[in-house]
PDB file of all heavy atoms in Angstrom:
ATOM      1  N   ILE A  21      18.988 -37.669 -37.305  1.00 94.00           N
ATOM      2  CA  ILE A  21      17.841 -38.319 -36.669  1.00 94.00           C
ATOM      3  C   ILE A  21      17.620 -37.687 -35.305  1.00 94.00           C
ATOM      4  O   ILE A  21      18.562 -37.620 -34.488  1.00 94.00           O
ATOM      5  CB  ILE A  21      18.055 -39.836 -36.514  1.00 94.00           C
ATOM      6  CG1 ILE A  21      18.234 -40.502 -37.886  1.00 94.00           C
ATOM      7  CG2 ILE A  21      16.876 -40.486 -35.754  1.00 94.00           C
ATOM      8  CD1 ILE A  21      18.657 -41.953 -37.809  1.00 94.00           C
ATOM      9  N   VAL A  22      16.408 -37.203 -35.056  1.00 94.00           N
ATOM     10  CA  VAL A  22      16.022 -36.680 -33.738  1.00 94.00           C
ATOM     11  C   VAL A  22      15.233 -37.783 -33.056  1.00 94.00           C
ATOM     12  O   VAL A  22      14.132 -38.132 -33.474  1.00 94.00           O
ATOM     13  CB  VAL A  22      15.179 -35.394 -33.870  1.00 94.00           C
ATOM     14  CG1 VAL A  22      14.781 -34.887 -32.479  1.00 94.00           C
ATOM     15  CG2 VAL A  22      15.964 -34.316 -34.618  1.00 94.00           C
ATOM     16  N   LEU A  23      15.809 -38.340 -32.013  1.00 95.00           N
ATOM     17  CA  LEU A  23      15.306 -39.616 -31.437  1.00 95.00           C
ATOM     18  C   LEU A  23      14.861 -39.420 -29.977  1.00 95.00           C
ATOM     19  O   LEU A  23      15.674 -39.139 -29.102  1.00 95.00           O
ATOM     20  CB  LEU A  23      16.426 -40.661 -31.526  1.00 95.00           C
ATOM     21  CG  LEU A  23      16.187 -42.030 -30.911  1.00 95.00           C
ATOM     22  CD1 LEU A  23      14.957 -42.718 -31.531  1.00 95.00           C
ATOM     23  CD2 LEU A  23      17.414 -42.900 -31.041  1.00 95.00           C
ATOM     24  N   ASP A  24      13.564 -39.574 -29.754  1.00 92.00           N
ATOM     25  CA  ASP A  24      13.032 -39.516 -28.392  1.00 92.00           C
ATOM     26  C   ASP A  24      13.403 -40.794 -27.641  1.00 92.00           C
ATOM     27  O   ASP A  24      13.424 -41.875 -28.234  1.00 92.00           O
ATOM     28  CB  ASP A  24      11.508 -39.361 -28.435  1.00 92.00           C
ATOM     29  CG  ASP A  24      10.924 -39.056 -27.083  1.00 92.00           C
ATOM     30  OD1 ASP A  24      11.503 -38.216 -26.364  1.00 92.00           O
ATOM     31  OD2 ASP A  24       9.896 -39.673 -26.706  1.00 92.00           O
ATOM     32  N   VAL A  25      13.719 -40.661 -26.375  1.00 91.00           N
ATOM     33  CA  VAL A  25      14.138 -41.836 -25.597  1.00 91.00           C
ATOM     34  C   VAL A  25      12.931 -42.693 -25.213  1.00 91.00           C
ATOM     35  O   VAL A  25      12.938 -43.914 -25.338  1.00 91.00           O
ATOM     36  CB  VAL A  25      14.902 -41.410 -24.335  1.00 91.00           C
ATOM     37  CG1 VAL A  25      15.106 -42.608 -23.389  1.00 91.00           C
ATOM     38  CG2 VAL A  25      16.259 -40.835 -24.717  1.00 91.00           C
ATOM     39  N   MET A  26      11.857 -42.044 -24.737  1.00 89.00           N
ATOM     40  CA  MET A  26      10.687 -42.786 -24.242  1.00 89.00           C
ATOM     41  C   MET A  26       9.768 -43.116 -25.395  1.00 89.00           C
ATOM     42  O   MET A  26       9.004 -42.263 -25.876  1.00 89.00           O
ATOM     43  CB  MET A  26       9.972 -41.964 -23.177  1.00 89.00           C
ATOM     44  CG  MET A  26      10.845 -41.593 -21.986  1.00 89.00           C
ATOM     45  SD  MET A  26      11.462 -43.072 -21.127  1.00 89.00           S
ATOM     46  CE  MET A  26       9.930 -43.680 -20.391  1.00 89.00           C
ATOM     47  N   LEU A  27       9.806 -44.355 -25.852  1.00 90.00           N
ATOM     48  CA  LEU A  27       8.949 -44.815 -26.949  1.00 90.00           C
ATOM     49  C   LEU A  27       8.114 -45.992 -26.492  1.00 90.00           C
ATOM     50  O   LEU A  27       8.478 -46.680 -25.535  1.00 90.00           O
ATOM     51  CB  LEU A  27       9.829 -45.224 -28.135  1.00 90.00           C
ATOM     52  CG  LEU A  27      10.648 -44.088 -28.785  1.00 90.00           C
ATOM     53  CD1 LEU A  27      11.650 -44.658 -29.790  1.00 90.00           C
ATOM     54  CD2 LEU A  27       9.739 -43.076 -29.442  1.00 90.00           C
ATOM     55  N   PRO A  28       6.978 -46.285 -27.156  1.00 87.00           N
ATOM     56  CA  PRO A  28       6.048 -47.293 -26.661  1.00 87.00           C
ATOM     57  C   PRO A  28       6.550 -48.735 -26.832  1.00 87.00           C
ATOM     58  O   PRO A  28       6.033 -49.627 -26.150  1.00 87.00           O
ATOM     59  CB  PRO A  28       4.793 -47.059 -27.520  1.00 87.00           C
ATOM     60  CG  PRO A  28       5.320 -46.430 -28.768  1.00 87.00           C
ATOM     61  CD  PRO A  28       6.478 -45.583 -28.345  1.00 87.00           C
ATOM     62  N   ASP A  29       7.480 -48.966 -27.713  1.00 88.00           N
ATOM     63  CA  ASP A  29       7.924 -50.360 -27.911  1.00 88.00           C
ATOM     64  C   ASP A  29       9.415 -50.486 -27.595  1.00 88.00           C
ATOM     65  O   ASP A  29       9.791 -50.847 -26.490  1.00 88.00           O
ATOM     66  CB  ASP A  29       7.643 -50.800 -29.347  1.00 88.00           C
ATOM     67  CG  ASP A  29       8.090 -49.786 -30.393  1.00 88.00           C
ATOM     68  OD1 ASP A  29       8.623 -48.733 -30.029  1.00 88.00           O
ATOM     69  OD2 ASP A  29       7.904 -50.054 -31.596  1.00 88.00           O
ATOM     70  N   VAL A  30      10.275 -50.187 -28.527  1.00 90.00           N
ATOM     71  CA  VAL A  30      11.712 -50.224 -28.309  1.00 90.00           C
ATOM     72  C   VAL A  30      12.160 -48.832 -27.885  1.00 90.00           C
ATOM     73  O   VAL A  30      11.875 -47.846 -28.575  1.00 90.00           O
ATOM     74  CB  VAL A  30      12.446 -50.627 -29.596  1.00 90.00           C
ATOM     75  CG1 VAL A  30      13.939 -50.779 -29.354  1.00 90.00           C
ATOM     76  CG2 VAL A  30      11.869 -51.921 -30.158  1.00 90.00           C
ATOM     77  N   ASP A  31      12.851 -48.688 -26.761  1.00 91.00           N
ATOM     78  CA  ASP A  31      13.233 -47.338 -26.315  1.00 91.00           C
ATOM     79  C   ASP A  31      14.339 -46.763 -27.208  1.00 91.00           C
ATOM     80  O   ASP A  31      14.978 -47.464 -28.001  1.00 91.00           O
ATOM     81  CB  ASP A  31      13.598 -47.301 -24.843  1.00 91.00           C
ATOM     82  CG  ASP A  31      14.893 -47.988 -24.507  1.00 91.00           C
ATOM     83  OD1 ASP A  31      15.778 -48.126 -25.376  1.00 91.00           O
ATOM     84  OD2 ASP A  31      15.062 -48.405 -23.340  1.00 91.00           O
ATOM     85  N   GLY A  32      14.564 -45.464 -27.053  1.00 92.00           N
ATOM     86  CA  GLY A  32      15.524 -44.769 -27.887  1.00 92.00           C
ATOM     87  C   GLY A  32      16.944 -45.284 -27.777  1.00 92.00           C
ATOM     88  O   GLY A  32      17.704 -45.304 -28.760  1.00 92.00           O
ATOM     89  N   PHE A  33      17.339 -45.725 -26.571  1.00 93.00           N
ATOM     90  CA  PHE A  33      18.684 -46.265 -26.398  1.00 93.00           C
ATOM     91  C   PHE A  33      18.854 -47.516 -27.276  1.00 93.00           C
ATOM     92  O   PHE A  33      19.875 -47.666 -27.954  1.00 93.00           O
ATOM     93  CB  PHE A  33      18.914 -46.638 -24.946  1.00 93.00           C
ATOM     94  CG  PHE A  33      18.855 -45.486 -23.985  1.00 93.00           C
ATOM     95  CD1 PHE A  33      17.950 -45.503 -22.903  1.00 93.00           C
ATOM     96  CD2 PHE A  33      19.661 -44.383 -24.143  1.00 93.00           C
ATOM     97  CE1 PHE A  33      17.874 -44.444 -22.037  1.00 93.00           C
ATOM     98  CE2 PHE A  33      19.614 -43.318 -23.251  1.00 93.00           C
ATOM     99  CZ  PHE A  33      18.720 -43.338 -22.205  1.00 93.00           C
ATOM    100  N   GLU A  34      17.864 -48.379 -27.269  1.00 93.00           N
ATOM    101  CA  GLU A  34      17.924 -49.616 -28.052  1.00 93.00           C
ATOM    102  C   GLU A  34      17.894 -49.307 -29.539  1.00 93.00           C
ATOM    103  O   GLU A  34      18.617 -49.928 -30.329  1.00 93.00           O
ATOM    104  CB  GLU A  34      16.768 -50.532 -27.692  1.00 93.00           C
ATOM    105  CG  GLU A  34      16.763 -51.861 -28.439  1.00 93.00           C
ATOM    106  CD  GLU A  34      17.877 -52.786 -28.062  1.00 93.00           C
ATOM    107  OE1 GLU A  34      18.508 -52.591 -26.997  1.00 93.00           O
ATOM    108  OE2 GLU A  34      18.158 -53.712 -28.855  1.00 93.00           O
ATOM    109  N   VAL A  35      17.060 -48.345 -29.955  1.00 95.00           N
ATOM    110  CA  VAL A  35      17.006 -47.955 -31.373  1.00 95.00           C
ATOM    111  C   VAL A  35      18.382 -47.458 -31.834  1.00 95.00           C
ATOM    112  O   VAL A  35      18.879 -47.858 -32.893  1.00 95.00           O
ATOM    113  CB  VAL A  35      15.934 -46.862 -31.603  1.00 95.00           C
ATOM    114  CG1 VAL A  35      16.051 -46.302 -33.007  1.00 95.00           C
ATOM    115  CG2 VAL A  35      14.561 -47.424 -31.363  1.00 95.00           C
ATOM    116  N   CYS A  36      18.978 -46.584 -31.041  1.00 94.00           N
ATOM    117  CA  CYS A  36      20.284 -46.029 -31.403  1.00 94.00           C
ATOM    118  C   CYS A  36      21.321 -47.156 -31.516  1.00 94.00           C
ATOM    119  O   CYS A  36      22.083 -47.222 -32.483  1.00 94.00           O
ATOM    120  CB  CYS A  36      20.711 -45.024 -30.337  1.00 94.00           C
ATOM    121  SG  CYS A  36      22.290 -44.210 -30.695  1.00 94.00           S
ATOM    122  N   GLU A  37      21.343 -48.042 -30.549  1.00 91.00           N
ATOM    123  CA  GLU A  37      22.315 -49.132 -30.546  1.00 91.00           C
ATOM    124  C   GLU A  37      22.105 -50.050 -31.759  1.00 91.00           C
ATOM    125  O   GLU A  37      23.064 -50.447 -32.419  1.00 91.00           O
ATOM    126  CB  GLU A  37      22.208 -49.921 -29.247  1.00 91.00           C
ATOM    127  CG  GLU A  37      23.292 -50.983 -29.100  1.00 91.00           C
ATOM    128  CD  GLU A  37      23.298 -51.603 -27.698  1.00 91.00           C
ATOM    129  OE1 GLU A  37      22.268 -51.568 -27.027  1.00 91.00           O
ATOM    130  OE2 GLU A  37      24.355 -52.137 -27.323  1.00 91.00           O
ATOM    131  N   GLN A  38      20.857 -50.362 -32.065  1.00 92.00           N
ATOM    132  CA  GLN A  38      20.561 -51.249 -33.186  1.00 92.00           C
ATOM    133  C   GLN A  38      20.936 -50.592 -34.533  1.00 92.00           C
ATOM    134  O   GLN A  38      21.442 -51.276 -35.432  1.00 92.00           O
ATOM    135  CB  GLN A  38      19.069 -51.625 -33.215  1.00 92.00           C
ATOM    136  CG  GLN A  38      18.656 -52.585 -32.099  1.00 92.00           C
ATOM    137  CD  GLN A  38      19.435 -53.909 -32.167  1.00 92.00           C
ATOM    138  OE1 GLN A  38      19.589 -54.478 -33.231  1.00 92.00           O
ATOM    139  NE2 GLN A  38      19.889 -54.365 -31.004  1.00 92.00           N
ATOM    140  N   LEU A  39      20.736 -49.296 -34.657  1.00 94.00           N
ATOM    141  CA  LEU A  39      21.118 -48.607 -35.886  1.00 94.00           C
ATOM    142  C   LEU A  39      22.630 -48.635 -36.074  1.00 94.00           C
ATOM    143  O   LEU A  39      23.136 -48.854 -37.183  1.00 94.00           O
ATOM    144  CB  LEU A  39      20.614 -47.164 -35.855  1.00 94.00           C
ATOM    145  CG  LEU A  39      19.114 -46.977 -36.039  1.00 94.00           C
ATOM    146  CD1 LEU A  39      18.747 -45.511 -35.901  1.00 94.00           C
ATOM    147  CD2 LEU A  39      18.655 -47.515 -37.399  1.00 94.00           C
ATOM    148  N   ARG A  40      23.358 -48.431 -34.988  1.00 90.00           N
ATOM    149  CA  ARG A  40      24.823 -48.470 -35.119  1.00 90.00           C
ATOM    150  C   ARG A  40      25.318 -49.888 -35.445  1.00 90.00           C
ATOM    151  O   ARG A  40      26.242 -50.068 -36.250  1.00 90.00           O
ATOM    152  CB  ARG A  40      25.494 -47.959 -33.829  1.00 90.00           C
ATOM    153  CG  ARG A  40      25.215 -46.488 -33.492  1.00 90.00           C
ATOM    154  CD  ARG A  40      25.407 -45.571 -34.677  1.00 90.00           C
ATOM    155  NE  ARG A  40      25.334 -44.159 -34.329  1.00 90.00           N
ATOM    156  CZ  ARG A  40      24.823 -43.226 -35.092  1.00 90.00           C
ATOM    157  NH1 ARG A  40      24.325 -43.548 -36.274  1.00 90.00           N
ATOM    158  NH2 ARG A  40      24.843 -41.961 -34.725  1.00 90.00           N
ATOM    159  N   LEU A  41      24.688 -50.876 -34.867  1.00 87.00           N
ATOM    160  CA  LEU A  41      25.044 -52.261 -35.189  1.00 87.00           C
ATOM    161  C   LEU A  41      24.726 -52.578 -36.644  1.00 87.00           C
ATOM    162  O   LEU A  41      25.410 -53.398 -37.281  1.00 87.00           O
ATOM    163  CB  LEU A  41      24.312 -53.230 -34.253  1.00 87.00           C
ATOM    164  CG  LEU A  41      24.780 -53.279 -32.813  1.00 87.00           C
ATOM    165  CD1 LEU A  41      23.865 -54.152 -31.976  1.00 87.00           C
ATOM    166  CD2 LEU A  41      26.235 -53.778 -32.714  1.00 87.00           C
ATOM    167  N   ALA A  42      23.703 -51.930 -37.186  1.00 89.00           N
ATOM    168  CA  ALA A  42      23.332 -52.110 -38.579  1.00 89.00           C
ATOM    169  C   ALA A  42      24.167 -51.215 -39.511  1.00 89.00           C
ATOM    170  O   ALA A  42      23.907 -51.149 -40.709  1.00 89.00           O
ATOM    171  CB  ALA A  42      21.846 -51.813 -38.793  1.00 89.00           C
ATOM    172  N   ARG A  43      25.159 -50.524 -38.934  1.00 86.00           N
ATOM    173  CA  ARG A  43      26.075 -49.656 -39.664  1.00 86.00           C
ATOM    174  C   ARG A  43      25.374 -48.463 -40.302  1.00 86.00           C
ATOM    175  O   ARG A  43      25.706 -48.007 -41.382  1.00 86.00           O
ATOM    176  CB  ARG A  43      26.870 -50.433 -40.708  1.00 86.00           C
ATOM    177  CG  ARG A  43      27.617 -51.625 -40.136  1.00 86.00           C
ATOM    178  CD  ARG A  43      28.546 -52.285 -41.100  1.00 86.00           C
ATOM    179  NE  ARG A  43      29.698 -51.437 -41.419  1.00 86.00           N
ATOM    180  CZ  ARG A  43      30.756 -51.298 -40.611  1.00 86.00           C
ATOM    181  NH1 ARG A  43      30.809 -51.902 -39.442  1.00 86.00           N
ATOM    182  NH2 ARG A  43      31.758 -50.532 -40.983  1.00 86.00           N
ATOM    183  N   VAL A  44      24.369 -47.949 -39.612  1.00 90.00           N
ATOM    184  CA  VAL A  44      23.726 -46.683 -39.987  1.00 90.00           C
ATOM    185  C   VAL A  44      24.410 -45.592 -39.157  1.00 90.00           C
ATOM    186  O   VAL A  44      24.256 -45.526 -37.932  1.00 90.00           O
ATOM    187  CB  VAL A  44      22.223 -46.708 -39.697  1.00 90.00           C
ATOM    188  CG1 VAL A  44      21.597 -45.336 -39.987  1.00 90.00           C
ATOM    189  CG2 VAL A  44      21.534 -47.773 -40.517  1.00 90.00           C
ATOM    190  N   TRP A  45      25.174 -44.729 -39.819  1.00 89.00           N
ATOM    191  CA  TRP A  45      25.994 -43.732 -39.116  1.00 89.00           C
ATOM    192  C   TRP A  45      25.410 -42.339 -39.141  1.00 89.00           C
ATOM    193  O   TRP A  45      26.095 -41.361 -38.815  1.00 89.00           O
ATOM    194  CB  TRP A  45      27.406 -43.720 -39.703  1.00 89.00           C
ATOM    195  CG  TRP A  45      28.004 -45.077 -39.808  1.00 89.00           C
ATOM    196  CD1 TRP A  45      28.415 -45.741 -40.912  1.00 89.00           C
ATOM    197  CD2 TRP A  45      28.311 -45.962 -38.697  1.00 89.00           C
ATOM    198  NE1 TRP A  45      28.912 -46.973 -40.601  1.00 89.00           N
ATOM    199  CE2 TRP A  45      28.854 -47.139 -39.259  1.00 89.00           C
ATOM    200  CE3 TRP A  45      28.134 -45.886 -37.319  1.00 89.00           C
ATOM    201  CZ2 TRP A  45      29.253 -48.236 -38.467  1.00 89.00           C
ATOM    202  CZ3 TRP A  45      28.521 -46.977 -36.530  1.00 89.00           C
ATOM    203  CH2 TRP A  45      29.072 -48.119 -37.105  1.00 89.00           C
ATOM    204  N   THR A  46      24.142 -42.203 -39.540  1.00 90.00           N
ATOM    205  CA  THR A  46      23.492 -40.885 -39.529  1.00 90.00           C
ATOM    206  C   THR A  46      23.588 -40.270 -38.135  1.00 90.00           C
ATOM    207  O   THR A  46      23.320 -40.953 -37.146  1.00 90.00           O
ATOM    208  CB  THR A  46      22.006 -41.037 -39.875  1.00 90.00           C
ATOM    209  OG1 THR A  46      21.901 -41.746 -41.127  1.00 90.00           O
ATOM    210  CG2 THR A  46      21.338 -39.672 -40.006  1.00 90.00           C
ATOM    211  N   PRO A  47      24.015 -39.001 -38.014  1.00 92.00           N
ATOM    212  CA  PRO A  47      24.072 -38.372 -36.706  1.00 92.00           C
ATOM    213  C   PRO A  47      22.754 -38.430 -35.959  1.00 92.00           C
ATOM    214  O   PRO A  47      21.688 -38.244 -36.577  1.00 92.00           O
ATOM    215  CB  PRO A  47      24.493 -36.922 -37.017  1.00 92.00           C
ATOM    216  CG  PRO A  47      25.184 -37.019 -38.329  1.00 92.00           C
ATOM    217  CD  PRO A  47      24.479 -38.116 -39.079  1.00 92.00           C
ATOM    218  N   ILE A  48      22.796 -38.692 -34.662  1.00 94.00           N
ATOM    219  CA  ILE A  48      21.588 -38.830 -33.853  1.00 94.00           C
ATOM    220  C   ILE A  48      21.616 -37.861 -32.678  1.00 94.00           C
ATOM    221  O   ILE A  48      22.591 -37.792 -31.934  1.00 94.00           O
ATOM    222  CB  ILE A  48      21.451 -40.267 -33.307  1.00 94.00           C
ATOM    223  CG1 ILE A  48      21.223 -41.269 -34.466  1.00 94.00           C
ATOM    224  CG2 ILE A  48      20.333 -40.378 -32.291  1.00 94.00           C
ATOM    225  CD1 ILE A  48      21.204 -42.719 -34.028  1.00 94.00           C
ATOM    226  N   ILE A  49      20.502 -37.099 -32.551  1.00 94.00           N
ATOM    227  CA  ILE A  49      20.274 -36.303 -31.362  1.00 94.00           C
ATOM    228  C   ILE A  49      19.229 -37.011 -30.524  1.00 94.00           C
ATOM    229  O   ILE A  49      18.111 -37.233 -30.981  1.00 94.00           O
ATOM    230  CB  ILE A  49      19.761 -34.881 -31.684  1.00 94.00           C
ATOM    231  CG1 ILE A  49      20.741 -34.117 -32.564  1.00 94.00           C
ATOM    232  CG2 ILE A  49      19.488 -34.097 -30.402  1.00 94.00           C
ATOM    233  CD1 ILE A  49      20.231 -32.740 -32.970  1.00 94.00           C
ATOM    234  N   MET A  50      19.572 -37.386 -29.296  1.00 92.00           N
ATOM    235  CA  MET A  50      18.615 -38.026 -28.410  1.00 92.00           C
ATOM    236  C   MET A  50      17.880 -36.944 -27.621  1.00 92.00           C
ATOM    237  O   MET A  50      18.517 -36.002 -27.113  1.00 92.00           O
ATOM    238  CB  MET A  50      19.302 -39.024 -27.476  1.00 92.00           C
ATOM    239  CG  MET A  50      20.007 -40.136 -28.203  1.00 92.00           C
ATOM    240  SD  MET A  50      20.302 -41.615 -27.204  1.00 92.00           S
ATOM    241  CE  MET A  50      18.667 -42.358 -27.260  1.00 92.00           C
ATOM    242  N   VAL A  51      16.563 -37.071 -27.542  1.00 89.00           N
ATOM    243  CA  VAL A  51      15.733 -36.065 -26.863  1.00 89.00           C
ATOM    244  C   VAL A  51      14.930 -36.751 -25.755  1.00 89.00           C
ATOM    245  O   VAL A  51      14.314 -37.782 -25.986  1.00 89.00           O
ATOM    246  CB  VAL A  51      14.771 -35.386 -27.868  1.00 89.00           C
ATOM    247  CG1 VAL A  51      13.875 -34.369 -27.156  1.00 89.00           C
ATOM    248  CG2 VAL A  51      15.520 -34.729 -28.990  1.00 89.00           C
ATOM    249  N   THR A  52      14.932 -36.169 -24.559  1.00 83.00           N
ATOM    250  CA  THR A  52      14.198 -36.770 -23.466  1.00 83.00           C
ATOM    251  C   THR A  52      13.907 -35.741 -22.378  1.00 83.00           C
ATOM    252  O   THR A  52      14.605 -34.729 -22.269  1.00 83.00           O
ATOM    253  CB  THR A  52      14.971 -37.930 -22.838  1.00 83.00           C
ATOM    254  OG1 THR A  52      14.233 -38.535 -21.800  1.00 83.00           O
ATOM    255  CG2 THR A  52      16.314 -37.464 -22.284  1.00 83.00           C
ATOM    256  N   ALA A  53      12.872 -36.028 -21.592  1.00 77.00           N
ATOM    257  CA  ALA A  53      12.595 -35.185 -20.429  1.00 77.00           C
ATOM    258  C   ALA A  53      13.457 -35.600 -19.252  1.00 77.00           C
ATOM    259  O   ALA A  53      13.522 -34.909 -18.241  1.00 77.00           O
ATOM    260  CB  ALA A  53      11.123 -35.311 -20.059  1.00 77.00           C
ATOM    261  N   ARG A  54      14.124 -36.750 -19.378  1.00 69.00           N
ATOM    262  CA  ARG A  54      14.983 -37.257 -18.305  1.00 69.00           C
ATOM    263  C   ARG A  54      16.352 -36.621 -18.440  1.00 69.00           C
ATOM    264  O   ARG A  54      17.029 -36.739 -19.462  1.00 69.00           O
ATOM    265  CB  ARG A  54      15.116 -38.796 -18.407  1.00 69.00           C
ATOM    266  CG  ARG A  54      13.805 -39.518 -18.123  1.00 69.00           C
ATOM    267  CD  ARG A  54      13.718 -40.871 -18.765  1.00 69.00           C
ATOM    268  NE  ARG A  54      14.890 -41.719 -18.537  1.00 69.00           N
ATOM    269  CZ  ARG A  54      14.929 -43.012 -18.887  1.00 69.00           C
ATOM    270  NH1 ARG A  54      13.890 -43.574 -19.468  1.00 69.00           N
ATOM    271  NH2 ARG A  54      15.995 -43.728 -18.658  1.00 69.00           N
ATOM    272  N   ASP A  55      16.736 -35.867 -17.416  1.00 69.00           N
ATOM    273  CA  ASP A  55      18.013 -35.147 -17.499  1.00 69.00           C
ATOM    274  C   ASP A  55      19.097 -35.716 -16.604  1.00 69.00           C
ATOM    275  O   ASP A  55      20.094 -35.068 -16.314  1.00 69.00           O
ATOM    276  CB  ASP A  55      17.824 -33.656 -17.184  1.00 69.00           C
ATOM    277  CG  ASP A  55      17.300 -33.416 -15.755  1.00 69.00           C
ATOM    278  OD1 ASP A  55      16.998 -34.425 -15.064  1.00 69.00           O
ATOM    279  OD2 ASP A  55      17.209 -32.255 -15.350  1.00 69.00           O
ATOM    280  N   ALA A  56      18.918 -36.960 -16.149  1.00 73.00           N
ATOM    281  CA  ALA A  56      19.933 -37.577 -15.308  1.00 73.00           C
ATOM    282  C   ALA A  56      21.217 -37.770 -16.073  1.00 73.00           C
ATOM    283  O   ALA A  56      21.209 -38.111 -17.261  1.00 73.00           O
ATOM    284  CB  ALA A  56      19.418 -38.924 -14.787  1.00 73.00           C
ATOM    285  N   VAL A  57      22.321 -37.552 -15.402  1.00 80.00           N
ATOM    286  CA  VAL A  57      23.642 -37.695 -16.058  1.00 80.00           C
ATOM    287  C   VAL A  57      23.818 -39.105 -16.582  1.00 80.00           C
ATOM    288  O   VAL A  57      24.334 -39.334 -17.678  1.00 80.00           O
ATOM    289  CB  VAL A  57      24.754 -37.346 -15.068  1.00 80.00           C
ATOM    290  CG1 VAL A  57      26.129 -37.661 -15.663  1.00 80.00           C
ATOM    291  CG2 VAL A  57      24.695 -35.858 -14.702  1.00 80.00           C
ATOM    292  N   ALA A  58      23.338 -40.102 -15.828  1.00 82.00           N
ATOM    293  CA  ALA A  58      23.489 -41.503 -16.262  1.00 82.00           C
ATOM    294  C   ALA A  58      22.792 -41.747 -17.583  1.00 82.00           C
ATOM    295  O   ALA A  58      23.290 -42.517 -18.421  1.00 82.00           O
ATOM    296  CB  ALA A  58      22.934 -42.429 -15.188  1.00 82.00           C
ATOM    297  N   ASP A  59      21.643 -41.112 -17.810  1.00 82.00           N
ATOM    298  CA  ASP A  59      20.921 -41.274 -19.069  1.00 82.00           C
ATOM    299  C   ASP A  59      21.703 -40.640 -20.223  1.00 82.00           C
ATOM    300  O   ASP A  59      21.798 -41.213 -21.327  1.00 82.00           O
ATOM    301  CB  ASP A  59      19.536 -40.641 -19.012  1.00 82.00           C
ATOM    302  CG  ASP A  59      18.592 -41.454 -18.119  1.00 82.00           C
ATOM    303  OD1 ASP A  59      18.781 -42.677 -18.011  1.00 82.00           O
ATOM    304  OD2 ASP A  59      17.676 -40.855 -17.513  1.00 82.00           O
ATOM    305  N   ARG A  60      22.278 -39.479 -19.980  1.00 83.00           N
ATOM    306  CA  ARG A  60      23.059 -38.823 -21.040  1.00 83.00           C
ATOM    307  C   ARG A  60      24.285 -39.672 -21.380  1.00 83.00           C
ATOM    308  O   ARG A  60      24.610 -39.827 -22.556  1.00 83.00           O
ATOM    309  CB  ARG A  60      23.475 -37.420 -20.587  1.00 83.00           C
ATOM    310  CG  ARG A  60      22.294 -36.476 -20.409  1.00 83.00           C
ATOM    311  CD  ARG A  60      22.735 -35.026 -20.432  1.00 83.00           C
ATOM    312  NE  ARG A  60      23.628 -34.689 -19.315  1.00 83.00           N
ATOM    313  CZ  ARG A  60      23.208 -34.298 -18.130  1.00 83.00           C
ATOM    314  NH1 ARG A  60      21.899 -34.218 -17.869  1.00 83.00           N
ATOM    315  NH2 ARG A  60      24.073 -33.975 -17.188  1.00 83.00           N
TER     316      ARG A  60
END
């Protein structure tokens, strides 16, 4: 899954977390223009 962080409803961080809680273990690449270490 190629997952953009900035989304119009649920952001990418929340999507990723919800998928893991739902036991979806598909590898995820997060993509964003924000390069802050804290975001990574």
Side-chain angles (χ1 to χ4, degrees):
I21 298 171
V22 179
L23 176 60
D24 190 44
V25 169
M26 301 300 291
L27 296 170
D29 48 0
V30 184
D31 70 24
F33 298 123
E34 181 69 17
V35 171
C36 183
E37 187 171 23
Q38 289 300 316
L39 288 176
R40 296 314 188 214
L41 288 173
R43 305 188 70 77
V44 176
W45 309 118
T46 307
I48 294 175
I49 300 178
M50 300 202 79
V51 179
T52 181
R54 293 156 49 172
D55 61 354
V57 172
D59 288 332
R60 295 199 296 272

